Structures are given as structure tokens and as C-alpha cells.
Amino acid sequence: WAKAEGRGRWAVYDPERSAADIARSALAAGLPAALDRGEFVVHYQPIVSLLDGSMLAVEALVRWSHPELGLVGPDRFIGLAEETGLIVRLGEWVLRQACRDARAWHREFPEAKLVVSVNLAARQADDPAIVDTVASALSRSGLPAELLQLELTESAVMGTAGEPLRSLYRLADLGVRLAIDDFGTGYSNLAYLRRLPIHCLKLAGPFVEGIRGDGGDSSPDHRDERIVDALVRLAHALELSVTAEAVETGEQAERLRALRCDTGQGRWFGPPAPADRITARLRGETTE
Ligand code: C2E
Ligand code: MG
Ligand code: MG
Ligand code: MG
């Protein structure tokens, strides 16, 4: 009895835990209405050629423009949206918005061939309806399929059945590009790399973080640099392109270029920003 009571009191009186839980469930409870009220916005971050500095793509990153909390980052609500299933509706909204924006850029700057890269949560990728959702986003917006890239993590690629998702083949048949996000941080099942219609690997931030740029890196025996070197070679052997995430310094960018990495993304090349910042950059009004 005493034990059960003690446990109950613990749950009720731990002030920090309950405050965090309340904040979390309040945020979760607000998500559906926020979507209906149009409180989400999509920001875009440049993905830049390490060879010539040109902007080849942008990644769509959702934010919640919360009436009281201000701009809330996806790390605070994407997980909640996945748990509640709202991610399917939210993700579809992001996809449509990104396709519309990319279509507008393509209309004004056709020679830029700017690709828009959209994150797909495991739960979205796992839903067979995703193929129709993507096809309809493309046809409604008029965006050519080859200007859309979908980013999936390693675990999303493998699905819940431990087999790569069948929908990936059907998505690739639509003509969209597929990228593995945060590559190197999930289950490194290399078998799927040669079997699946993937176009790009995005090297996870932590590997890039370890590269300093003086030919060494912050680990005692240059391990991060050696891992990046090996992953770039692996990707190129499979005819995949490689994007380095979280590039924060010019030295990192230079070093990644020397390692033959194709493109870079990160604060060094420009932070995630509203669509009009990308438009200004395409017009040549700004380089960030
Ligand atoms: P991600 O797909 O790996 O996106 C890259 C993250 O790195 C973004 O965080 C970006 O703002 C951040 N970043 C940009 N530059 C730098 C840098 O120089 N250094 C470092 N360390 N990080 C940098 P963000 O915007 O907070 O998004 C976090 C994650 O939320 C994303 O990680 C993605 O997994 C998820 N996410 C964002 N938007 C969506 C969406 O529309 N749908 C889904 N399913 N997930 C999304
Ligand atoms: Mg991503
Ligand atoms: Mg990533
Ligand atoms: Mg991520």
C-alpha cells in the first residue's frame, strides 16, 4: 500500500516533471488547431555546390509561428506530431507549400533548376497513400518531378517490417529524387544502398562537426575526417551525390571540398530563412 501510494505521490509532486509534461501536452493539443489556423510556416535553407558556390537546392524546414511562444522549431513539435499521427496532415501541408514555392522559383529562374528537398517522417513514408500525395502535390503545383527531392532517415527507409519500403520504388518512378537524411547515425544496413533508387546521401552533422579544416579534426586520430572520406567514396562508387549537413565554417567547407563532397548545407552557406530570402538570393540581391 505504502509503496503504491508513494509512487502516486511521486508522480503528482515532482514539479519539474509535471511542468515539462504539461507544456508538452499543451503543445501537442494545440497542433491540429494551429494547422487549421495556418500558423505553420516553411523556411528554406540553401544547399550549395562545393565546387562553385552555386545554390543547387533548398531544404524545406517547418516552423510553428506560435501566438505566444513565437517561432517554435520542429525539434519541439515534429516528434509530438508523429506520436499523434498529425504528421501525415502536417507533412502533406509542408510538401504542398514547398512544391508551390519551388514552382514559383522555377517559373522566374528556370535556368537555376532549383531543387526543393522535403523531409518525410517515417510514418508518412510508411503510408502507401504517400505516392498519391506526392503525385498530387506535383500536378497541382506544376513543379517538374525532378525538382523535388524527398529526405528519409535510414530507419524510415527500412520501414517497420525490416524491409525497405515498396513505395520508394513507386516514388522514384514518379521521377522525384530520394535522399537519405542524417546518414551514418541510423542502422547502417548497407544492403539497401545498392538495391534502392536513392540519389543522394546527406552526411549527418556530427561527422561534419568533427572536421576542423587544417587537414585534421577534433578527434585524436582524425576519425571524423576518415569517416567522411570513406562515406564520400562509398557514395560515389554507388553513383550517389553527397551533401554535408551543418557546415559552419569556411575551413570545413574547404576541407569537405577537398574530400570530394558534392554539396554543403549549414550556417556557413546561409541559415534557414523565409521563402523571400531565397527569391532575393536567386535574383542576386544577396549572397546569404
Ligand atoms: P534535418 O532534416 O537534419 O535538418 C537539418 C537541421 O540542421 C535543421 O534543423 C537546420 O536548421 C539545422 N542546421 C542548419 N544549419 C546548421 C548548422 O550550421 N549547424 C547545425 N548544427 N545545424 C544546422 P531544424 O530546422 O531545427 O529541423 C530539425 C529537424 O526537424 C530536421 O532535421 C528534420 O528532421 C525535422 N523537420 C523539419 N521540418 C520537417 C518537416 O517538414 N517534416 C518532417 N517530417 N520533419 C521535419
Ligand atoms: Mg532533412
Ligand atoms: Mg539531416
Ligand atoms: Mg534530423
Side-chain angles (χ1 to χ4, degrees), residues 59 119 151 153 180-183 202-205 245 265:
E59 178 172 5
N119 293 284
E151 301 189 5
T153 60
I180 308 293
D181 202 356
D182 303 333
F183 185 73
K202 297 191 75 176
L203 295 186
E245 298 186 358
Q265 174 182 356

Side-chain angles (χ1 to χ4, degrees), residues 61-231:
L61 294 162
V62 69
R63 276 94 180 86
W64 180 359
S65 179
H66 193 282
E68 283 136 39
L69 303 173
L71 210 58
V72 177
D75 283 336
R76 285 182 63 193
F77 62 82
I78 287 289
L80 293 171
E82 292 203 49
E83 284 166 31
T84 61
L86 189 78
I87 191 67
V88 173
R89 216 152 60 81
L90 176 59
E92 182 170 350
W93 179 82
V94 172
L95 176 70
R96 287 187 189 285
Q97 185 62 48
C99 286
R100 273 198 299 272
D101 287 336
R103 172 66 182 134
W105 291 319
H106 183 53
R107 188 166 298 184
E108 195 176 348
F109 310 97
E111 70 291 347
K113 295 210 163 37
L114 190 73
V115 169
V116 70
S117 196
V118 177
N119 293 284
L120 279 196
R123 192 146 173 174
Q124 288 175 275
D126 230 348
D127 181 356
I130 188 64
V131 183
D132 289 336
T133 302
V134 171
S136 131
L138 288 171
S139 66
R140 282 211 210 178
S141 63
L143 182 71
E146 66 268 23
L147 297 185
L148 176 63
Q149 173 168 280
L150 300 172
E151 301 189 5
L152 297 95
T153 60
E154 289 158 283
S155 48
V157 163
M158 292 310 287
T160 42
E163 269 292 301
L165 298 173
R166 288 177 182 281
S167 342
L168 294 188
Y169 294 93
R170 296 174 56 213
L171 286 170
D173 284 344
L174 293 177
V176 306
R177 295 166 49 91
L178 299 175
I180 308 293
D181 202 356
D182 303 333
F183 185 73
T185 60
Y187 308 97
S188 291
N189 180 341
L190 294 179
Y192 68 70
L193 278 186
R194 62 179 167 82
R195 283 203 277 150
L196 287 174
I198 292 161
H199 302 78
C200 174
L201 298 184
K202 297 191 75 176
L203 295 186
F207 300 124
V208 177
E209 210 181 299
I211 293 181
R212 272 208 320 263
D214 51 5
D217 63 41
S218 52
S219 60
D221 50 1
H222 303 177
R223 280 201 186 163
D224 286 322
E225 169 138 357
R226 290 200 221 173
I227 288 171
V228 171
D229 185 27
L231 292 180

